[in-house]
């Protein structure tokens, strides 16, 4: 058969590869479907996508539990990339004891040619417990959306195929390519274990389906593939009264070996018992390379070696760290970092926004968006985003304030990748300056979100963390240029191997100031528009407390809160006062102080002197008003401002994360007399202190552990990271009456937090969204390798 040309859409594809400080071409392909256990795609809106499905063939029930999208309900014992470099590839290990199999997925990117390079994937399996059989069927699928076509080159056969399966295809962006799926040379020989006799015949046979999905439906590939297996099996199996009487599932649960005309989805199924291995070679014709098993043998060895040495340079565990043996801690740190990197996804599609929605207490606001009659929930134009994700299983999509933390971590490893991701987020800032908190782009992303959470509202904010990434780059740049350069230090990131893996990203020490400035300058204007949107739309009324405030303007209130939740603050059910147009939120004014300070540093770096001066003024006005409006003498803590039933303003004080904000964001001067009581509360076992980290709400608070108990006590790693950063960079470093205390607390907190997250990882196989404030046990979503992965930065003391 020859290539079929499918013109599913005639829309031109936007150019995605951009001119950057240096090229980003080796970022075209990635494990950019992190919602899947193993899903590859290029960062192109419509193109080639792959996925992996597996199920046990030990019985007929297992097919209902076929594995594909990461799902806590699958009950995998663990799954994590152990090594992953976004420019080169990596290794992932998945443990599935319900099917007694450990699956390893290797992904190797091979640069070359003029279409973003080629890649090789290796999928291998072995019984977790060799004493018992491990019977698995794997399905590797590839599908194409958009312009171009793919077709199977290998001849079809009604009874399955022996030997490799080959496809060839072409798209405007990828050019011509071939895909070959090849068993390990001796898959039968490596297939060990007690086979059933009938099963022997099955070894080495590959079954196929070629299906035709309507445009935009490729993300549902698994459902169609499983349906075609069921369609074939049902008439056979129905003849038997019980599953026990039916033939061995490996004879019946097969793809139909039928390729429809104009197929755009191809599924390749294999049956194994015991160990197995097969490779998928994607060869871009323009690169003119032919791969075989040795390509990935050598390539992955090189990727792992290169990852390990770069990790030592970038995220070392200081020798002073108190641990008898740092080896397991180091593998853990590598795994969480790799999983953050392997969690980077590319998303494309429409989202839902409602320009007219407002809660009662927000209704007096001047409506920010032009009144263009666009009220009610509507679909937007499709948009693209390359972003890290908090949790591959539960929240596999972009979240605004999570991303600032992700970018700190990514940027410490690869400055230019963090800038590339940041650029994408900045592109989403609309003409008013708004960007949606949750990026639910396209139907696949939407399918994971209950309807009532899908709509985003253009007056709702979320903590402004994105500038963290910018200031981290500036800081890194300045440090590199003050100190010796990488070359002076004799660091050579290139490694000498046979395989053409992508070269390491440049260290920031060799980035040119003018080049960095020019990239940042492009981001400055939209970020400033975003900043101004915050100041305009989240402004609070300073009526009554205004008597005591030095600044008449700097007071802030989160829009879009409900009675029970302030989702916009990021700390959903943290206790607050009753909703009121006159309330003022401490965390938001602190975030605005932080945002202003980082914008000031940004303006300075790109020589926008006037702006820098005006940011400096606002910053000090904010710092003054934090004291004037929010410090409560009686309870000796910073508090929200609320309006009571007599219409009087009053402090709403809840000891916990909110009350720490001025300290946590280093807005308090180190000699502030308020620092003492804050540190006391922080270090008090009856309040915020635990052996496992800082609690979100004081143990002595009447609501501690109550209700939803999401932000009413549990320990969150990113907040602990901010506390550690404030201690390390400011209060333990700068002279002041509490410097010694800050130092002690820093050391103790760092140990507590690291030890607990690590201990829980060893105990459960996962890192978690949050940790129990009384026992330290991991809870809620897992794996949660978004900001919980900051433990790597905490170990390396990068704040
Ligand atoms: C609801 C559930 C199948 C909640 O990490 C992302 C965010 C944080 O930004 C936020 O601070 N998480 C924190 O309070 C997770 C939010 C998930 C909302 C999606 C749908 C799906 O149910």
């Amino acid at each position: 058969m020859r290539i079929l040309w499918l013109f599913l859409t005639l829309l031109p594809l936007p150019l995605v590869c951009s001119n950057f400080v240096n090229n980003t071409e080796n970022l075209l392909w990635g494990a950019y479907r992190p919602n899947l256990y193993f899903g590859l795609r290029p960062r192109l809106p419509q193109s080639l996508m792959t996925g992996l499905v597996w199920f046990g063939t030990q019985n007929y029930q297992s097919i209902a539990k076929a594995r594909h999208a990461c799902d806590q309900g699958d009950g995998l014992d663990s799954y994590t990339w152990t090594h992953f470099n976004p420019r080169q590839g990596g290794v992932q290990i998945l443990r599935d004891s319900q099917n007694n199999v450990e699956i390893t997925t290797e992904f190797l990117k091979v640069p070359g040619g003029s279409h973003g390079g080629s890649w090789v994937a290796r999928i291998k399996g072995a019984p977790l417990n060799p004493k018992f059989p491990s019977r698995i069927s794997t399905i590797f699928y590839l599908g194409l959306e958009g312009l171009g076509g793919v077709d199977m080159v290998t001849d079809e056969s009604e009874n399955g195929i022996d030997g490799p399966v080959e496809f060839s295809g072409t798209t405007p962006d990828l050019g011509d390519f071939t895909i070959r799926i090849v068993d390990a040379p001796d898959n039968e020989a490596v297939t060990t274990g007690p086979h059933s006799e009938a099963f022997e015949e099955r070894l080495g046979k590959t079954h196929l389906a070629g299906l035709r999905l309507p445009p935009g439906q490729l993300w549902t590939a698994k459902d169609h593939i499983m349906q075609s297996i069921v369609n074939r099996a049902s008439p056979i199996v129905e003849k038997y009264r019980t599953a026990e009487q039916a033939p061995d599932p490996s004879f019946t649960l097969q793809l139909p070996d039928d390729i429809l005309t104009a197929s755009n989805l191809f599924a390749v199924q294999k049956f194994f018992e015991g160990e197995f291995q097969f490779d998928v070679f994607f060869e871009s014709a323009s690169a003119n390379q032919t791969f075989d098993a040795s390509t990935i043998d050598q390539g992955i060895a090189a990727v792992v070696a290169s990852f390990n040495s770069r990790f030592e340079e970038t995220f070392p565990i200081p020798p002073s760290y108190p641990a008898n043996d740092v080896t397991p801690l180091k593998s853990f740190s590598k795994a969480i970092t790799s999983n953050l990197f392997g969690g980077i996804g590319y998303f494309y599609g429409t989202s839902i926004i409602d320009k007219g929605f407002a809660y009662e207490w927000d209704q007096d606001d001047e409506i920010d968006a032009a009144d263009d009659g666009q009220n009610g929930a509507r679909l937007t134009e499709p948009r693209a985003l390359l972003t890290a994700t908090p949790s591959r299983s539960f929240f596999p999509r972009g979240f605004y304030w999570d991303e600032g933390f992700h970018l700190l971590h990514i940027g410490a490893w690869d400055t230019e990748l963090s800038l590339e991701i940041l650029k994408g987020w900045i592109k989403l800032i609309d003409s008013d300056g708004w960007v949606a908190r949750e990026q639910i782009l396209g139907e696949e992303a939407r399918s994971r979100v209950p309807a009532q959470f899908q709509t985003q509202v253009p007056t709702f904010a979320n903590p402004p963390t994105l500038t963290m990434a910018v200031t981290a780059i500036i800081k890194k740049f300045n440090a590199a240029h003050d100190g010796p350069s990488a070359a002076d230090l004799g660091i050579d990131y290139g490694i000498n191997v046979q395989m053409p893996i992508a070269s390491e990203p440049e260290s920031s020490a060799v980035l040119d100031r003018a080049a960095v400035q020019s990239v940042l300058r492009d981001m400055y204007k939209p970020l400033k528009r975003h900043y101004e949107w915050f100041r305009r739309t989240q402004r609070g009324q300073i009526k009554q407390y205004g008597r005591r405030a030095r600044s008449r303007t700097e007071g802030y209130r989160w829009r879009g809160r409900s009675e029970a939740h302030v989702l916009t603050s990021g700390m959903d059910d943290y206790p607050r006062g009753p909703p009121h147009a006159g309330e003022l939120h401490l965390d938001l004014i602190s975030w605005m102080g932080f945002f202003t300070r980082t914008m000031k540093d940004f303006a300075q770096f790109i020589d926008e002197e006037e702006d820098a001066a005006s940011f400096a003024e606002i910053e000090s006005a904010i710092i003054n008003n934090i004291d004037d409006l929010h410090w409560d003498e009686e309870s000796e803590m910073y508090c929200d401002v609320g309006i009571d039933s007599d219409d009087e303003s009053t402090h709403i004080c809840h000891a916990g994360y909110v009350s720490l904000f001025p300290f946590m964001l280093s807005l308090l001067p180190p000699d502030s007399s308020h620092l003492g009581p804050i540190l006391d509360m922080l270090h008090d076992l009856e309040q915020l202190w635990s052996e496992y980290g800082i609690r979100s709400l004081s143990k002595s608070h009447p609501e501690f552990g109550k209700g939803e108990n999401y932000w009413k006590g549990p320990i969150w790693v990113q907040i602990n990271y901010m506390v550690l950063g404030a201690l390390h960079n400011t209060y333990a470093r700068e002279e002041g009456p509490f410097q010694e205390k800050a130092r002690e607390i820093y050391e103790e907190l760092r140990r507590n937090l690291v030890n607990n997250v690590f201990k829980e990882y060893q105990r459960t196989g996962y890192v978690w969204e949050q940790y129990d404030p009384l026992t330290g046990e991991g809870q809620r979503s897992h794996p949660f390798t978004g900001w919980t992965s900051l433990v790597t930065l905490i170990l390396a003391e990068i704040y």
Side-chain angles (χ1 to χ4, degrees):
M1 271 212 263
R2 280 198 321 266
I3 293 169
L4 284 169
W5 293 89
L6 296 180
F7 294 97
L8 293 178
T9 160
L10 294 170
L11 292 174
L13 292 169
L15 266 182
V16 171
C17 296
S18 51
N19 50 333
F20 199 57
V21 173
N22 74 359
N23 83 64
T24 53
E25 208 168 289
N26 52 18
L27 296 174
L28 179 68
W29 280 98
Y32 293 146
R33 306 182 72 197
N35 57 314
L36 305 189
Y37 289 119
F38 188 51
L40 308 177
R41 67 174 292 171
R43 49 182 192 133
L44 296 168
Q46 290 164 312
S47 190
L48 199 61
M49 298 213 273
T50 78
L52 175 71
V53 180
W54 77 92
F55 61 91
T57 57
Q58 64 274 21
N59 55 40
Y60 275 93
Q61 285 84 55
S62 307
I63 190 172
K65 294 197 254 164
R67 280 74 163 91
H68 175 242
C70 303
D71 182 350
Q72 285 176 201
D74 287 346
L76 261 59
D77 311 61
S78 66
Y79 54 100
T80 187
W81 293 92
T82 58
H83 300 80
F84 194 94
N85 183 331
R87 294 176 188 268
Q88 299 178 338
V91 180
Q92 178 183 224
I93 295 180
L94 307 107
R95 296 203 174 87
D96 179 4
S97 61
Q98 288 175 25
N99 289 309
N100 191 28
V101 68
E102 175 177 288
I103 291 184
T104 302
T105 64
E106 296 176 348
F107 171 50
L108 173 70
K109 304 213 272 184
V110 186
S114 47
H115 290 278
S118 304
W119 52 261
V120 188
R122 171 167 290 172
I123 290 116
K124 55 185 178 184
L128 271 170
N129 183 345
K131 288 197 200 113
F132 294 98
S134 154
R135 303 190 46 184
I136 290 295
S137 176
T138 62
I139 300 168
F140 190 91
Y141 70 82
L142 51 110
L144 182 72
E145 291 194 323
L147 290 175
V150 180
D151 198 21
M152 194 165 98
V153 176
T154 313
D155 288 333
E156 285 178 56
S157 154
E158 275 172 31
N159 302 313
I161 286 176
D162 295 308
V165 183
E166 186 168 342
F167 301 90
S168 82
T170 185
T171 81
D173 297 273
L174 301 175
D176 294 343
F177 57 85
T178 59
I179 298 174
R180 284 180 296 125
I181 302 183
V182 183
D183 276 288
D186 45 4
N187 237 359
E188 284 185 60
V190 297
T191 306
T192 55
H195 310 137
S196 57
E197 216 175 275
F199 194 79
E200 293 282 352
E201 285 172 39
R202 292 280 145 217
L203 298 175
K205 275 266 192 265
T206 296
H207 296 279
L208 295 153
L211 304 170
R212 202 165 52 227
L213 266 52
Q217 291 304 301
L218 202 52
W219 67 275
T220 62
K222 179 213 169 192
D223 299 341
H224 294 268
I225 291 168
M226 299 321 281
Q227 189 61 50
S228 85
I229 291 177
V230 170
N231 289 350
R232 170 175 175 156
S234 296
I236 309 172
V237 177
E238 269 161 21
K239 292 184 205 136
Y240 299 89
R241 292 183 52 200
T242 64
E244 284 67 41
Q245 292 167 345
D248 187 299
S250 63
F251 284 95
T252 53
L253 299 179
Q254 288 173 7
L255 286 170
D257 290 311
D258 183 24
I259 307 291
L260 298 180
T261 319
S263 289
N264 57 355
L265 169 64
F266 297 90
V268 179
Q269 184 185 27
K270 295 172 184 295
F271 290 87
F272 300 110
E273 184 160 322
E275 290 179 23
F276 66 87
Q277 175 174 311
F278 64 91
D279 296 337
V280 183
F281 301 104
F282 172 89
E283 291 156 351
S284 174
S286 67
N288 205 14
Q289 296 156 315
T290 307
F291 303 144
D292 59 29
S294 71
T295 313
I296 185 158
D297 289 343
Q298 294 173 25
I300 285 295
V303 166
V304 167
S306 147
F307 179 92
N308 286 339
S309 70
R310 191 176 177 87
F311 200 91
E312 293 290 338
E313 299 289 351
T314 315
F315 299 127
I317 299 176
S320 61
Y321 189 81
N324 294 334
D325 176 11
V326 290
T327 317
L329 199 55
K330 214 181 269 178
S331 323
F332 158 70
S333 184
K334 286 179 185 175
I336 56 180
T337 294
S338 297
N339 213 56
L340 173 73
F341 296 170
I344 295 172
Y346 175 83
F347 302 90
Y348 178 79
T350 58
S351 48
I352 301 177
I353 67 171
D354 185 345
K355 286 193 177 176
F357 180 84
Y359 285 98
E360 194 186 312
W361 36 88
D362 295 340
Q363 272 168 4
D364 290 337
D365 288 343
E366 289 168 48
I367 291 181
D368 196 58
D371 185 9
D372 48 9
Q374 301 224 333
N375 293 349
R378 276 161 197 279
L379 277 185
T380 66
E381 290 293 297
R383 292 203 196 85
L385 184 65
L386 181 72
T387 182
T389 53
S391 166
R392 290 175 58 195
S393 58
F394 234 63
F395 321 126
R397 54 185 175 274
F399 284 83
Y400 174 95
W401 87 295
D402 299 60
E403 198 60 7
F405 295 98
H406 301 157
L407 290 179
L408 277 181
H409 194 162
I410 294 168
W413 174 269
D414 184 338
T415 305
E416 292 162 84
L417 174 58
S418 75
L419 280 170
E420 187 63 12
I421 295 173
L422 180 61
K423 251 172 46 176
W425 274 91
I426 286 176
K427 259 201 187 145
L428 298 178
I429 299 174
D430 74 6
S431 56
D432 290 325
W434 173 71
V435 52
R437 168 176 94 228
E438 208 175 317
Q439 292 296 325
I440 312 169
L441 304 179
E443 265 188 74
E444 181 170 22
R446 262 197 302 279
S447 74
R448 306 289 296 260
V449 188
Q452 73 268 29
F453 297 119
Q454 290 179 0
T455 304
Q456 305 290 306
V457 179
T459 50
F460 292 7
N462 201 212
T465 59
L466 289 187
T467 49
M468 283 181 182
V470 177
T471 45
I473 288 162
I474 295 171
K475 192 169 155 192
K476 202 168 151 188
F477 180 88
N478 288 338
H481 286 261
D482 292 344
S485 73
D488 296 340
L489 293 169
I491 299 170
D492 177 7
Y493 289 119
I495 59 159
N496 192 12
V497 282
Q498 305 288 306
M499 268 301 307
I501 59 173
S503 59
E504 287 287 356
E506 298 278 291
S507 113
S508 58
V510 298
L511 292 180
D512 174 56
R513 182 183 180 100
V516 174
Q517 277 182 328
S518 106
V519 174
L520 290 182
R521 204 165 272 134
D522 289 343
M523 299 184 175
Y524 181 70
K525 245 179 135 178
L527 266 178
K528 193 175 157 195
R529 187 166 79 239
H530 185 43
Y531 171 81
E532 284 161 356
W533 176 90
F534 261 92
R535 290 198 77 217
R536 193 169 69 242
T537 65
Q538 309 296 303
R539 170 146 303 177
Q541 305 166 357
I542 314 186
K543 280 191 190 140
Q544 308 171 53
Y545 264 77
R547 278 180 274 122
R548 330 176 0 173
R550 273 166 280 181
S551 154
R552 315 297 302 174
T553 55
E554 300 312 309
Y556 292 92
R557 170 168 72 91
W558 293 110
R559 300 309 197 268
R561 66 162 296 181
S562 64
E563 300 271 355
H565 291 116
V566 190
L567 297 179
T568 45
S569 74
M571 296 186 290
D572 307 10
D573 63 333
Y574 189 94
R576 304 276 182 166
H580 193 288
E583 67 182 321
L584 296 172
H585 295 126
L586 171 65
D587 50 334
L588 184 53
I589 190 177
S590 305
W591 278 119
M592 289 310 294
F594 170 83
F595 200 0
T596 310
R597 177 179 282 175
T598 50
M599 286 303 288
K600 178 190 72 183
D601 295 343
F602 192 173
Q604 262 159 10
F605 185 73
I606 59 164
D607 306 321
E608 293 282 349
E609 303 295 345
E610 258 177 56
D611 280 9
S614 104
F615 287 132
E617 263 174 48
I618 300 170
E619 181 190 355
S620 61
I622 287 178
I623 289 174
N624 289 337
N625 270 12
I626 288 177
D627 271 0
D628 297 348
L629 296 168
H630 293 279
W631 177 254
D632 189 78
E633 282 297 341
E634 205 186 294
S635 54
E636 288 198 294
M637 64 171 110
Y638 287 101
C639 305
D640 282 341
V641 176
I643 309 293
D644 65 20
S645 46
D646 300 327
D647 220 22
E648 291 292 325
S649 61
T650 165
H651 279 139
I652 308 279
C653 301
H654 298 290
Y657 287 166
V658 165
S659 58
L660 296 179
F661 262 88
F663 151 77
M664 195 151 79
L665 292 170
S666 294
L667 297 167
L668 283 189
D671 60 0
S672 165
S673 60
H674 299 161
L675 198 54
I678 292 177
L679 292 178
D680 287 343
M681 169 170 77
L682 187 79
H683 205 207
D684 180 355
L685 269 169
E686 289 307 307
Q687 299 197 62
L688 302 192
W689 192 258
S690 82
E691 277 174 64
Y692 320 107
I694 305 294
R695 300 167 176 141
S696 48
L697 194 62
S698 164
K699 191 182 154 197
S700 311
H701 191 285
E703 285 184 60
F704 176 78
K706 296 278 165 63
E708 277 163 56
N709 190 23
Y710 201 17
W711 291 84
K712 290 187 176 173
I715 297 161
W716 292 79
V717 170
Q718 91 285 17
I719 301 279
N720 278 269
Y721 175 81
M722 288 198 281
V723 168
L724 286 166
L727 292 167
H728 183 267
N729 290 348
T730 307
Y731 304 107
R733 177 172 293 168
E734 290 173 25
E735 241 172 75
F738 307 104
Q739 187 180 17
E740 200 40 50
K741 179 150 197 192
R743 264 189 202 146
E744 286 165 19
I745 293 181
Y746 170 78
E747 293 298 339
E748 213 183 325
L749 176 58
R750 174 163 171 255
R751 267 199 318 271
N752 285 348
L753 196 77
V754 170
N755 287 349
N756 187 59
V757 176
F758 177 51
K759 180 193 87 206
E760 286 298 288
Y761 175 76
Q762 291 193 310
R763 184 178 74 83
T764 65
Y766 287 104
V767 288
W768 297 76
E769 183 176 11
Q770 50 170 230
Y771 294 85
D772 186 290
L774 298 175
T775 65
E777 285 179 18
Q779 55 188 34
R780 300 223 180 208
S781 304
H782 57 281
F784 189 102
T785 37
W787 55 36
T788 304
S789 305
L790 290 167
V791 170
T792 291
L793 299 192
I794 294 170
L795 270 167
E797 305 193 279
I798 299 174
Y799 302 104

